[in-house]
Amino acid sequence: DTAVSQTPKYLVTQMGNDKSIKCEQNLGHDTMYWYKQDSKKFLKIMFSYNNKELIINETVPNRFSPKSPDKAHLNLHINSLELGDSAVYFCASSQGQGSTEAFFGQGTRLTVV
Amino acid sequence: GEDVEQSLFLSVREGDSSVINCTYTDSSSTYLYWYKQEPGAGLQLLTYIFSNMDMKQDQRLTVLLNKKDKHLSLRIADTQTGDSAIYFCAESIGSSASKIIFGSGTRLSIRP
């Protein structure tokens, strides 16, 4: 009965590859997010989607493309992976309009070698 | 601008109170949160406070909000070894809370 689930939990891949991380929430929330947490534990928002529409896109390289097929899913596709993309990526969801809580997935540890 | 700042480390003796401080810059915050991250785990919401409140207490946790100074603190009474974690301060921006900005996290360590 996981509220926000991400797959895979770990991902090791070579530079230049293309990979996707999937996220699904079963909470009926209308807002979903992707955050990147670097090795120093800094959490930075990357994208925010509300009802399948992109509402926030921070200064993230074009190689990162979020895709939201429906309200319950927000997948992150990364092209031409670079060493600096290595991080833990967290998906989250909340009910917008003054949410009291964002629920986070367990994170995907991406290692680019 | 949108910025949330916290000190990076805090060490307290077991049984003492821990106070973790946070400052933020955006005055349009709707909610302010404290999240806890244990080693290798995701983020867990500990508590939150609405921006028009100045205090909230929840068992061992007390949140104080000074909106004028844009200062938020989390006090953990009777700190235990299980409280060792990274604590993130965060604020939601805008009326739709569509963006949540996190601080850098404060690593709380407990000494015997």
Side-chain angles (χ1 to χ4, degrees), chain A residues 35 37 48 58 97-99 102, chain B residues 31 33 35 37 98-100:
Chain A
Y35 285 86
Q37 186 180 42
S48 172
E58 294 292 307
Q97 301 298 322
S99 172
Chain B
Y31 289 95
Y33 313 84
Y35 279 84
Q37 185 180 30
S98 54
K99 186 172 180 178
I100 301 175

Side-chain angles (χ1 to χ4, degrees), chain A residues 9 31 33 35 37 40-43 45 48 55-56 58 90 94 96-106, chain B residues 2 8 30-31 33 35 37 40-43 45 48 86 88 92 95-104 107:
Chain A
K9 193 171 178 183
T31 306
Y33 315 79
Y35 285 86
Q37 186 180 42
K40 294 180 181 168
K41 302 296 185 185
F42 287 94
L43 264 165
I45 190 165
S48 172
I55 48 175
I56 290 169
E58 294 292 307
F90 284 99
S94 69
Q97 301 298 322
S99 172
T100 58
E101 181 174 4
F103 288 79
F104 283 79
Q106 286 301 301
Chain B
E2 303 155 348
L8 291 180
T30 311
Y31 289 95
Y33 313 84
Y35 279 84
Q37 185 180 30
L43 288 131
L45 180 70
Y48 67 91
I86 300 176
F88 289 92
S92 63
S95 58
S96 63
S98 54
K99 186 172 180 178
I100 301 175
I101 307 296
F102 284 82
S104 54
R107 187 180 292 274

Side-chain angles (χ1 to χ4, degrees), chain B residues 62-75:
Chain B
T62 304
V63 178
L64 294 176
L65 174 61
N66 181 330
K67 201 169 179 183
K68 176 175 163 290
D69 295 339
K70 299 195 183 100
H71 183 266
L72 182 75
S73 67
L74 173 69
R75 179 175 177 271

Side-chain angles (χ1 to χ4, degrees), chain A residues 42 44, chain B residues 1-7 21-26 29 32-34 70 72 88-93 100-105:
Chain A
F42 287 94
K44 293 289 183 188
Chain B
E2 303 155 348
D3 199 14
V4 178
E5 293 191 355
Q6 308 174 233
S7 53
N21 294 302
C22 168
T23 56
Y24 60 97
T25 55
D26 198 306
S29 301
L32 295 121
Y33 313 84
W34 285 102
K70 299 195 183 100
L72 182 75
F88 289 92
C89 170
E91 58 170 344
S92 63
I93 305 290
I100 301 175
I101 307 296
F102 284 82
S104 54

Side-chain angles (χ1 to χ4, degrees), chain A residues 45-46 57-61:
Chain A
I45 190 165
M46 300 172 68
N57 180 353
E58 294 292 307
T59 49
V60 177

